[in-house]
């Protein structure tokens, strides 16, 4: 069978450089192979099913009508293989049907293009200018990208965000939580506002976007409103530990809503804050000394390095020493959790890394979006990003955390067993 009989790429003449031709041909071949492999695997699952006449029950049956999907390199005309169930009628509820995962029903644009639209919104492109902006990227004949189509897409995403914001959380359980206030310089109505973000770690080690609202980073009122909303929607069991920077608003709100949740200060933020209180000539050496604290193998070693830093800098640089000392307990909380999780718990990196890309895609603009629309666009970008988030290392340890198993210096302590330090002292 010719590859062109399944998928072909329309070449409107918009892209005529050699590199695009290579990409175009490669995309056509890969998509063809993927669709063919998927239908072959599907048919293989039913290879043992026979009709009364002894024939294969599930067989190939030509192709569905061709449909076009917009991608970053132009329009792709797709012919989806059709599968026939010889033992069932078209209206039979038990009919075996085939829907390829790579070509969802009614898909008309690739996911990368879907992400492009909210990016353009946040960049400052108005609905009326989308057709011109996208035509410059995808060609003037790009279908389905009129202002009215973009407007309908925006309404769909606003509705998706609304449903997500109201979803029931009673069946969810999160072991860990990361929180941060992100200034995106997006087109919010109030320039002083930022995006308050919470990401949670499930018992399976999956990171999920948990909360996303506009607010003020230092405002305990806004953080409290977000945490209370999560609790009202069913998240009644508090996470074991929350990771955030030194924003007093979040910690005050957390103490009121979930007072038993442990506090872990972000070491990246704390390092930056301490170094900012030192002259540049002292910063490289101080940074290495701070690293010796959070890289220590045990809490005792970390405490020794902590004390050494305070003793070294308190006389001449008391503000730097005070900045570190005031959060001592919260900076070392991670030692009471599995060692595999330390690198996840020491920083708010799950939020920072996710929004690093989003930050670069947003800019201040004279024409602002409503906060409702801007939040929906940011949600769409993060929702797309979280599909590729890495699972936590040592995820098998998370149920133990929930069950109350104790960890000291990252190691599990069996009930009735002395701590590692006590064992070492006894030896």
């Amino acid at each position: 069978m010719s590859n062109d009989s399944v998928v072909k790429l329309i070449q409107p003449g918009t892209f005529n450089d050699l590199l695009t031709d290579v990409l175009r041909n490669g995309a056509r071949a890969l998509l063809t192979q993927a669709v063919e492999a998927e239908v072959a695997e599907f048919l293989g699952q039913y290879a043992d099913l026979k009709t009364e006449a002894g024939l294969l029950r599930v067989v190939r049956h030509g192709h569905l009508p061709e449909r076009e999907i917009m991608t970053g390199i132009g329009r792709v005309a797709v012919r989806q293989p059709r599968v026939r169930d010889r033992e069932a009628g078209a209206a039979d509820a038990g009919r075996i049907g085939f829907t390829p995962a790579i070509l969802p029903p009614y898909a008309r644009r690739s996911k990368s293009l879907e992400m492009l639209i909210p990016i353009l919104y946040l960049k400052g492109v108005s609905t009326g200018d989308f057709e011109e902006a996208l035509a410059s990227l995808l060609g003037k004949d790009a279908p389905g990208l009129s202002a009215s189509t973009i407007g309908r897409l925006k309404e769909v995403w606003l509705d998706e965000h609304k449903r997500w914001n109201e979803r029931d959380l009673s069946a969810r359980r999160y072991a860990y939580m990361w929180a941060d206030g992100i200034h995106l310089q997006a087109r919010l109505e109030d320039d002083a506002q930022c995006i308050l973000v919470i990401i949670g770690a499930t018992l399976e080690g999956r990171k999920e976007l948990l909360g996303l609202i506009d607010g003020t980073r230092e405002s305990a009122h806004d953080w409290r409103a977000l945490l209370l909303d999560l609790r009202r929607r069913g998240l009644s069991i508090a996470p074991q530990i929350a990771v955030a920077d030194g924003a007093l608003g979040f910690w005050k709100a957390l103490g009121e809503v979930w007072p038993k949740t442990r506090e872990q200060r972000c070491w990246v933020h704390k390092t930056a804050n301490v170094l900012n209180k030192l002259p540049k000539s002292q910063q490289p050496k101080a940074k290495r000394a701070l690293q010796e604290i959070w890289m220590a193998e045990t809490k005792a070693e970390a405490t020794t390095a902590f004390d050494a830093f305070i003793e070294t800098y308190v006389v001449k640089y008391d503000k730097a020493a005070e900045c570190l000392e005031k959060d001592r307990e919260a900076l070392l909380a991670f030692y009471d959790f599995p060692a595999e999780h330390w690198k996840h718990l020491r920083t708010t990196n799950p939020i920072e890394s996710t929004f690093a890309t989003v930050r670069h895609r947003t800019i201040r603009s004279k024409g602002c979006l409503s906060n409702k629309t801007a939040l929906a666009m940011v949600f769409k970008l993060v929702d797309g990003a979280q599909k590729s988030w890495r699972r936590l290392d040592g995820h098998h340890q998370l149920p133990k955390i929930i069950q109350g198993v104790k960890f000291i210096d990252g190691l599990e302590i069996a009930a009735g067993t002395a701590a590692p330090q006590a064992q070492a002292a006894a030896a």
Side-chain angles (χ1 to χ4, degrees):
M1 177 184 297
S2 168
N3 284 348
D4 292 336
S5 65
V6 179
V7 181
K8 66 178 182 178
L9 197 63
I10 296 177
Q11 302 181 25
T14 304
F15 304 101
N16 52 16
D17 62 281
L18 182 59
L19 178 58
T20 301
D21 286 340
V22 172
L23 293 174
R24 179 183 295 121
N25 293 331
R28 175 175 58 196
L30 288 174
L31 186 54
T32 298
Q33 293 169 8
V35 173
E36 288 296 328
E38 194 169 357
V39 71
E41 182 180 359
F42 178 83
L43 293 173
Q45 295 174 2
Y46 299 97
D48 294 334
L49 292 182
K50 306 289 183 180
T51 65
E52 293 181 358
L55 301 174
L56 288 174
R57 174 176 167 177
V58 183
V59 295
R60 290 190 63 139
H61 189 61
H63 297 85
L64 293 174
E66 196 171 76
R67 57 183 163 126
E68 293 180 354
I69 296 179
M70 281 303 304
T71 73
I73 56 172
R75 292 177 291 170
V76 180
V78 181
R79 297 187 67 206
Q80 177 182 320
R82 181 158 46 191
V83 169
R84 178 188 174 192
D85 183 353
R86 287 170 162 163
E87 291 265 309
D92 194 326
R95 182 174 65 90
I96 298 173
F98 170 66
T99 302
I102 199 171
L103 297 174
Y106 312 113
R108 289 294 180 270
R109 54 181 50 82
S110 68
K111 291 294 182 183
S112 61
L113 189 57
E114 285 191 6
M115 292 301 100
L116 175 62
I117 294 174
I119 291 167
L120 291 178
Y121 255 112
L122 294 170
K123 277 287 190 181
V125 178
S126 64
T127 303
D129 295 331
F130 261 80
E131 193 167 7
E132 179 180 352
L134 290 170
S136 66
L137 295 171
L138 306 172
K140 64 180 181 180
D141 297 323
L145 297 175
S146 65
S148 60
T149 301
I150 299 302
R152 287 193 296 272
L153 268 178
K154 184 182 75 171
E155 292 303 316
V156 169
W157 293 336
L158 285 168
D159 187 55
E160 286 181 8
H161 180 233
K162 182 176 183 295
R163 291 198 305 272
W164 177 83
N165 233 9
E166 297 173 352
R167 71 200 185 285
D168 181 19
L169 297 172
S170 58
R172 308 299 295 163
R173 183 74 190 272
Y174 298 92
Y176 303 148
M177 170 192 294
W178 297 266
D180 203 357
I182 304 295
H183 291 275
L184 294 177
Q185 295 189 339
R187 299 189 296 158
L188 295 174
E189 293 169 318
D190 186 346
D191 288 343
Q193 290 181 326
C194 67
I195 308 296
L196 304 185
V197 184
I198 293 179
I199 290 176
T202 69
L203 300 191
E204 297 76 33
R206 305 291 183 188
K207 288 175 284 191
E208 293 181 357
L209 180 64
L210 185 53
L212 178 75
I213 66 169
D214 58 322
T216 305
R217 189 175 193 149
E218 304 290 340
S219 169
H221 171 79
D222 291 335
W223 280 113
R224 187 187 303 109
L226 176 54
L227 294 176
L228 287 174
D229 180 57
L230 296 177
R231 195 173 70 178
R232 277 193 296 268
R233 288 190 281 120
L235 196 61
S236 57
I237 303 177
Q240 297 297 303
I241 191 169
V243 186
D245 63 11
L248 296 179
F250 171 75
W251 297 117
K252 181 180 179 181
L254 181 70
E256 294 173 358
V257 179
W258 286 319
K260 294 184 178 180
T261 297
R262 296 280 302 275
E263 298 181 9
Q264 171 65 49
R265 293 294 194 276
C266 171
W267 268 101
V268 173
H269 284 91
K270 178 57 70 175
T271 298
N273 292 338
V274 172
L275 295 182
N276 283 339
K277 301 181 186 305
L278 294 169
K280 288 187 176 180
S281 60
Q282 293 292 323
Q283 289 182 7
K285 183 179 179 180
K287 187 176 181 180
R288 291 192 296 271
L290 290 171
Q291 188 176 25
E292 288 179 5
I293 301 173
W294 58 263
M295 288 291 288
E297 290 293 325
T298 67
K299 191 172 184 177
E301 292 177 7
T303 299
T304 299
F306 206 111
D307 292 339
F309 185 96
I310 300 298
E311 186 178 10
T312 299
Y313 291 95
V314 69
V315 175
K316 194 171 183 180
Y317 306 106
D318 58 310
K319 290 184 178 179
E322 180 185 349
C323 179
L324 182 66
E325 178 64 47
K326 69 185 181 71
D327 291 323
R328 177 190 288 257
E329 183 178 350
L331 285 166
L332 303 179
F334 69 88
Y335 281 102
D336 297 334
F337 293 84
E340 299 97 319
H341 300 168
W342 287 1
K343 69 178 183 180
H344 302 294
L345 295 177
R346 285 188 293 231
T347 78
T348 55
N349 186 60
I351 294 178
E352 291 292 331
S353 60
T354 296
F355 279 84
T357 303
V358 180
R359 273 198 188 96
H360 292 305
R361 292 171 170 175
T362 59
I363 192 170
R364 292 193 186 279
S365 173
K366 293 181 180 178
C368 68
L369 291 171
S370 70
N371 285 5
K372 180 179 177 182
T373 301
L375 281 172
M377 297 301 109
V378 172
F379 163 72
K380 193 65 183 176
L381 291 176
V382 179
D383 186 48
Q386 72 177 340
K387 293 177 176 61
S388 61
W389 287 349
R390 285 185 62 251
R391 201 174 186 182
L392 265 64
D393 292 347
H395 53 84
H396 62 282
Q397 302 277 29
L398 289 167
K400 297 179 183 178
I401 295 294
I402 300 301
Q403 294 163 10
V405 174
K406 299 299 182 183
F407 287 80
I408 296 180
D409 292 333
L411 301 177
E412 180 180 344
I413 304 301
T417 303
Q421 299 95 322
Q423 292 177 347

